[in-house]
Amino acid sequence: MKNQDWKAILRFIGIMLMAEGGLMALCLVPALHFGEYRPWTIGLCAAFTLAVGAMLWVSFGHYRQIKDRRMSYLLVTLLWVTLAVFGTLPFLATGTTSCFTRAWFEAMSGITSTGATVYADVAALPASVLLWRSMSQWFGGFGIVLLVLALSPRLGINNYSLYTAEASSADNTGKTTVKTTETVQHTLLIYLILTIVFILLLLLSGMELWDAVNLTFTNISSGGFSVNSDSIASITHTQQYILAAAMLLSGVNFTLLYLLFTLRWKRIGNRLDQFRSYIIIAITAVVFVSAGLHFKNSYAWGDAFRIGTVQTISALTTTGSVAADTTSWWTPIGFILLMLSICGSMAGSTSGGLKIMRMLILMRNARGILRNRLHPNAVNPVRLNGKPVSDHIINNVMIIFMVYGITMMLGVMGLLLCGTTPNEAIGASVGCLTGYGPGLGATGGFGSYAGFSHGAMWICSVLMLFGRLECMTVLILLLPRFWRRH
């Protein structure tokens, strides 16, 4: 690894810090509008972040090329960690917490669009902090790396390797997703359009601008933060359905959405395997959860369908918005929601989890193995969208699945050692690793992670980072071989 690679990394970090500082500066608007005590504190946070970012960008502005491919993994991890560190400033400066651990947990949850919170009474937070929580999820939900690719076309490093450093792609057509900077910019445009459209829909439904902006930011990014302590339970039924639609679309591959909006039907036809499975899983789960709420929890059919739809889509897209207190529900419903969050929605979307693409590959590979047991000489290739999936991708998916499971179990063990109950340890490990947020027990429903020890909060923060970068990227940095000179 050469010094110029390190300097180029610092330059890119500077660019993203300036973007983060710009978003912080926008939080001055609600601070002044709602007459907060000491509104200038959020302005100082923004100024400091902008200054550090500008200093890095100016100091290393001439270093535009990253020649070592390994540095893509380091760049991605450092981007997330650095943005989370600076993301703690609004929480600390405004006095909402004096504890760095709690501020770090909240910032990491925001930037990774996880939705887990340490604040039991969210509604009591200053407006500037509420907007910062929402904007950090919107900022991180799209994907920091895709933002870098969109804003800095000439990175000097293979765009696909940088993309896979953030999300280990299982899509055998994945290279087309990030083949050009133009495609990334189109994807960002779709993200912006969806954000504006759902803000307008919520406004037309009678929601106040403040709530509409915040809830759109957090639901379109599969984040789940809210400006209300009861998440989205207190908004109207129509508004809940609108947010459910926002969650559902956020779980769709953004390249597929771009092709749909530009009416490129022929290219869409070759990408529908994952989308069909996504819709089938969503419909099946909605039916099961709604029936369970009606027959086991005595909900009226209308309420059962509405709440079942919102909670199912929220879990499948790992958004974490809550329309009712799920802690009192029939136990199998809670189990189904956890399984949905582990599955996740489509690859190339804002959601977390393992992704439906990988689940399809795993199931079809298992089916092929079983067929070979019956017919040893038969050739049963794993196919996705009509194309055979290479052995390399199948092995990659199996390794990710294994590492994901081991990381989840280690998370449970670590939380148990920190004094967390078994129920909460399992729920928190799944909720933080998948990016879903809500867990079980005190962390489920309208609960929070406020009762966790500092050690447990740090473990959960690490799980959020591992889950957002899909484990492999961070683990690669822990290998001694990674740091050797070649």
Side-chain angles (χ1 to χ4, degrees):
M1 299 181 185
K2 300 180 179 179
N3 286 335
Q4 67 177 34
D5 288 340
W6 284 98
K7 292 175 181 179
I9 283 177
L10 291 174
R11 173 181 176 269
F12 299 137
I13 290 176
I15 292 173
M16 298 313 295
L17 281 178
M18 287 192 291
E20 185 177 36
L23 292 178
M24 280 186 197
L26 293 177
C27 296
L28 268 170
V29 176
L32 295 171
H33 176 74
F34 292 106
E36 283 183 16
Y37 174 64
R38 296 190 304 175
W40 45 267
T41 54
I42 194 73
L44 288 178
C45 296
F48 178 72
T49 305
L50 281 166
V52 174
M55 181 184 67
L56 291 174
W57 182 56
V58 171
S59 300
F60 305 107
H62 297 294
Y63 298 93
R64 300 172 178 269
Q65 300 292 317
I66 297 179
K67 296 183 179 180
D68 193 335
R69 185 179 181 274
R70 293 175 299 166
M71 298 299 279
S72 59
Y73 298 98
L74 184 62
L75 170 59
V76 167
T77 305
L78 285 178
L79 276 172
W80 286 102
V81 173
T82 303
L83 291 176
V85 168
F86 281 83
T88 63
L89 296 178
F91 302 108
L92 296 170
T94 57
T96 56
T97 181
S98 59
C99 174
F100 179 78
T101 297
R102 292 169 65 88
W104 166 261
F105 182 99
E106 198 75 10
M108 182 60 76
S109 180
I111 207 70
T112 58
S113 64
T114 299
T117 182
V118 294
Y119 294 107
D121 186 8
V122 172
L125 295 175
S128 58
V129 173
L130 289 174
L131 182 60
W132 171 242
R133 293 168 80 246
S134 301
M135 295 187 79
S136 65
Q137 288 201 327
W138 185 82
F139 184 54
F142 180 73
I144 301 298
V145 164
L146 290 183
L147 284 171
V148 173
L149 291 173
L151 298 174
S152 305
R154 297 180 181 180
L155 288 173
I157 192 170
N158 182 273
N159 285 2
Y160 182 60
S161 68
L162 188 63
Y163 172 77
T164 54
E166 181 181 68
S168 305
S169 179
D171 185 356
N172 62 333
T173 60
K175 290 189 178 183
T176 62
T177 306
V178 289
K179 186 176 180 180
T180 64
T181 303
E182 182 183 5
T183 303
V184 176
Q185 290 171 343
H186 287 158
T187 305
L188 179 58
L189 179 62
I190 294 296
Y191 192 60
L192 294 172
I193 290 173
L194 287 177
T195 301
I196 295 170
V197 166
F198 279 100
I199 289 176
L200 293 175
L201 287 174
L202 289 174
L203 289 174
L204 290 173
S205 71
M207 183 178 286
E208 296 291 334
L209 178 62
W210 170 250
D211 291 334
V213 169
N214 280 279
L215 290 178
T216 298
F217 279 175
T218 58
N219 285 275
I220 205 70
S221 62
S222 299
F225 277 160
S226 179
V227 293
N228 304 309
S229 296
D230 62 354
S231 191
I232 60 172
S234 58
I235 64 177
T236 68
H237 296 179
T238 300
Q239 291 162 359
Q240 288 179 354
Y241 278 121
I242 291 173
L243 289 179
M247 297 179 215
L248 189 67
L249 282 177
S250 72
V252 177
N253 179 285
F254 273 73
T255 303
L256 183 62
L257 286 178
Y258 173 71
L259 296 174
L260 177 64
F261 290 159
T262 54
L263 304 179
R264 301 184 182 184
W265 307 114
K266 291 184 178 179
R267 293 183 63 184
I268 290 174
N270 297 325
R271 296 167 177 263
L272 291 181
D273 258 14
Q274 191 182 189
F275 181 73
R276 288 193 198 98
S277 299
Y278 176 50
I279 298 301
I280 290 171
I281 291 172
I283 293 174
T284 304
V286 166
V287 171
F288 178 86
V289 172
S290 299
L293 291 177
H294 176 72
F295 292 111
K296 293 294 183 177
N297 291 91
S298 302
Y299 281 78
W301 270 117
D303 291 336
F305 178 75
R306 171 179 53 82
I307 296 174
T309 299
V310 173
Q311 289 306 137
T312 297
I313 296 175
S314 177
L316 183 59
T317 59
T318 67
T319 302
S321 290
V322 181
D325 186 4
T326 59
T327 57
S328 61
W329 287 2
W330 187 36
T331 301
I333 296 178
F335 177 77
I336 288 294
L337 295 179
L338 279 181
M339 291 300 100
L340 289 174
S341 68
I342 293 173
C343 174
S345 51
M346 296 178 66
S349 67
T350 61
S351 72
L354 278 167
K355 306 294 191 303
I356 288 174
M357 179 74 72
R358 295 193 182 101
M359 303 305 291
L360 281 174
I361 291 175
L362 285 171
M363 289 189 293
R364 291 179 182 182
N365 186 50
R367 183 181 62 186
I369 292 174
L370 291 175
R371 286 178 175 176
N372 282 337
R373 292 293 180 96
L374 296 174
H375 307 285
N377 296 323
V379 178
N380 297 297
V382 176
R383 293 183 178 275
L384 204 61
N385 297 319
K387 300 177 181 178
V389 180
S390 68
D391 290 339
H392 170 73
I393 291 178
I394 294 173
N395 292 334
N396 185 43
V397 170
M398 293 177 69
I399 291 171
I400 290 173
F401 184 79
M402 179 188 70
V403 171
Y404 208 83
I406 293 174
T407 303
M408 192 174 294
M409 289 188 290
L410 290 175
V412 173
M413 292 173 61
L415 291 172
L416 288 173
L417 291 174
C418 291
T420 309
T421 65
N423 193 38
E424 291 176 354
I426 294 171
S429 182
V430 173
C432 292
L433 186 63
T434 62
Y436 179 44
L440 299 172
T443 63
F446 303 131
S448 70
Y449 289 71
F452 274 31
S453 66
H454 286 189
M457 288 184 185
W458 278 103
I459 291 173
C460 288
S461 300
V462 171
L463 288 173
M464 293 178 203
L465 181 65
F466 270 62
R468 191 61 179 85
L469 299 182
E470 301 189 335
C471 298
M472 303 301 291
T473 297
V474 184
L475 289 178
I476 286 174
L477 300 183
L478 302 179
L479 297 175
R481 194 173 192 179
F482 177 87
W483 302 99
R484 293 175 188 166
R485 292 182 177 273
H486 288 276

